[in-house]
Amino acid sequence: MQEQEENYEGTEFMNKSVEDLFLGVQETYSEAQQRAQEESKTFARTEYFRMDKLGVYNLRVLPIAPSKDGSIDRKSYEYPVHQLLLEIEKPSSGSKQSYVYATVPRATDAGYSVDLIDTYRKAAVAEAKENGEDKLAEKIGGGSFGGGLKYTYGHALYIFDMNERAKGVQLLTLSHAQFKDLDERKFKLWQKKLAKNSSAVCPISSVYNAYPVEIEKKKNGNKTEYLISIDNESDVDALSKDELNALLNAPRIPEIIYRYTRYQFEATIEFLKQCDAKYGLSVMETDEMKEVIDQLGSELPKDDTSSFSFDKRNKDAKENAENTSISLDELWNRYEDLKDKGLGDKTEEGQELRTLIRSYIEQEGLSIRVTRSTTNVELLETIEKSLQDQPEQEVDPEDETKEEPGDTEPEKPTRTRNRR
């Protein structure tokens, strides 16, 4: 009996301890709410805002959100970003070429010690010069619109589309020229506000006192321009508590623009191997490139199991495709760069642009037929009209086949366009 009582007392003690353990870890309402917000942030998809149509865009620039403890890594509304759109040719037994596209940021911006593209670009320029190919060296060292490997420089920021605010937080990337224009206008207006109120806050990104930003995409003759202004005649815009929560729970901009995965690492290696073949170089065989590849590969997270594949059914390829988009402005800039260099549609560079145009048409789901007799500039203008919901231009109904090198060069178009 004594033994049974001891067991009972021990059981009672144990039960009380277990109960206390469970009571001590019960989730409170605020904890449950925070967990739900973290989970929704993890699975949140980033909406990208693009200005593909002519017209006025009314935007509400959003401030960079602090962390939960109130700290912040950058007091601003934007993050600078260096990116390159890789065009990687898929293996094919036929005569028609097809490509896979991947957007990669500079790896050193993502916190890694080395970058494959910067290293390759520097070595490739040096090798081309040693071979007496100064024009090739200039091309490789130049911007991507001219077929080079120099990263594009832009600025990423979160915005609300004030005409469709219910869409929520969207990511906008401005070119460096567009950003400088906006920033200069911001400072001029801010200085005027400070003259009246010494505690005036940022006039375009503050929480409660921000003016709308207007970006008008318009035609000026044959040129396309972006006119940026701050509508300080309107009432100031205040963010609601729900909007602040949405911004707080949105993925941090660096998590999006500086994301560098094993997929991008492997895609870059394949891309640079093709650059070697395209340029007639052997940079990828050098000890320097092999060491940089090994170094960056060793720094990637071990739990990153993504991998590059030409198979569209590959999960990583699908995810990358969702985050890789070609803009109409990029196509126009590439076209203008080729025109400035006297490179027509039948050149290698012209055919690369045509491939990008096809990809853009598929990306946007446009009902535009690409035919043999339609020039690149005609396709671009048809796309522009289609996006404006205007009747499409009539094009040759003949189904296009790959142009032969001996085809007659089409008459050079006279269209000019403003560089951004």
Side-chain angles (χ1 to χ4, degrees), residues 9-25:
E9 290 174 357
T11 301
E12 185 179 30
F13 175 77
M14 181 185 71
N15 288 339
K16 186 178 292 186
S17 298
V18 170
E19 183 183 44
D20 289 342
L21 285 173
F22 276 96
L23 290 173
V25 295

Side-chain angles (χ1 to χ4, degrees), residues 83-231:
Q83 293 177 318
L84 190 66
L85 178 65
L86 309 184
E87 184 182 63
I88 309 168
E89 184 176 352
K90 296 176 66 175
S92 173
S93 56
S95 59
K96 189 170 183 178
Q97 296 174 321
S98 60
Y99 298 84
V100 171
Y101 297 93
T103 299
V104 298
R106 178 177 280 157
T108 48
D109 290 348
Y112 296 101
S113 64
V114 291
D115 181 78
L116 301 185
I117 293 172
D118 277 344
T119 303
Y120 180 95
R121 176 171 167 264
K122 182 178 178 181
V125 168
E127 184 175 326
K129 287 183 176 179
E130 288 176 5
N131 296 338
E133 299 180 83
D134 291 341
K135 286 187 177 179
L136 176 60
E138 183 180 355
K139 176 180 178 178
I140 296 171
S144 60
F145 293 138
L149 300 178
K150 187 177 181 180
Y151 283 104
T152 58
Y153 181 37
H155 298 261
L157 56 148
Y158 273 146
I159 57 94
F160 283 144
D161 180 353
M162 298 192 73
N163 295 324
E164 296 182 278
R165 196 156 180 153
K167 283 188 174 181
V169 177
Q170 297 184 68
L171 186 69
L172 169 67
T173 301
L174 297 176
S175 69
H176 185 59
Q178 289 173 331
F179 164 72
K180 292 301 293 181
D181 190 5
L182 174 60
D183 221 36
E184 287 173 8
R185 294 177 185 279
K186 175 200 74 176
F187 278 118
K188 287 180 180 178
L189 179 57
W190 202 344
Q191 287 170 356
K192 291 180 180 179
K193 296 293 181 183
L194 286 171
K196 298 179 180 179
N197 178 6
S198 60
S199 60
V201 291
C202 176
I204 64 171
S205 68
S206 65
V207 175
Y208 298 122
N209 294 285
Y211 292 105
V213 170
E214 289 186 353
I215 302 180
E216 181 180 5
K217 182 178 181 179
K218 61 177 291 186
K219 287 285 187 67
N220 182 7
N222 288 328
K223 297 180 180 179
T224 298
E225 298 178 339
Y226 290 84
L227 305 180
I228 297 177
S229 61
I230 301 173
D231 183 13

Side-chain angles (χ1 to χ4, degrees), residues 16-54:
K16 186 178 292 186
S17 298
V18 170
E19 183 183 44
D20 289 342
L21 285 173
F22 276 96
L23 290 173
V25 295
Q26 283 187 125
E27 188 175 41
T28 65
Y29 177 82
S30 60
E31 289 170 340
Q33 189 177 45
Q34 183 174 349
R35 177 179 54 78
Q37 289 174 346
E38 288 296 329
E39 288 177 354
S40 65
K41 176 182 174 182
T42 301
F43 294 102
R45 301 182 68 85
T46 303
E47 292 288 337
Y48 293 85
F49 185 84
R50 290 182 293 162
M51 297 179 286
D52 276 345
K53 297 182 180 181
L54 299 177

Side-chain angles (χ1 to χ4, degrees), residues 253-272:
I253 293 176
E255 295 174 8
I256 303 168
I257 63 174
Y258 300 146
R259 184 170 180 261
Y260 192 92
T261 64
R262 192 169 296 277
Y263 176 96
Q264 292 164 311
F265 169 72
E266 294 177 1
T268 301
I269 292 174
E270 178 61 32
F271 170 75
L272 294 177

Side-chain angles (χ1 to χ4, degrees), residues 240-259:
S240 69
K241 185 175 181 180
D242 286 342
E243 289 174 335
L244 290 173
N245 273 322
L247 182 58
L248 193 66
N249 295 316
R252 295 299 186 259
I253 293 176
E255 295 174 8
I256 303 168
I257 63 174
Y258 300 146
R259 184 170 180 261

Side-chain angles (χ1 to χ4, degrees), residues 265-330:
F265 169 72
E266 294 177 1
T268 301
I269 292 174
E270 178 61 32
F271 170 75
L272 294 177
K273 286 179 179 177
Q274 292 187 12
C275 285
D276 257 5
K278 179 180 177 180
Y279 301 140
L281 303 175
S282 55
V283 177
M284 294 297 283
E285 299 303 316
T286 63
D287 290 339
E288 180 186 21
M289 277 305 302
K290 290 178 180 178
E291 289 173 3
V292 169
I293 290 171
D294 289 342
Q295 177 65 32
L296 183 54
S298 68
E299 293 179 13
L300 293 172
K302 303 302 179 186
D303 59 355
D304 181 357
T305 58
S306 64
S307 63
F308 173 74
S309 170
F310 287 110
D311 188 351
K312 286 185 178 179
R313 293 170 296 179
N314 179 276
K315 175 178 176 291
D316 302 312
K318 287 182 179 179
E319 288 181 355
N320 181 80
E322 290 172 356
N323 294 327
T324 299
S325 60
I326 307 164
S327 74
L328 185 56
D329 286 329
E330 287 176 320

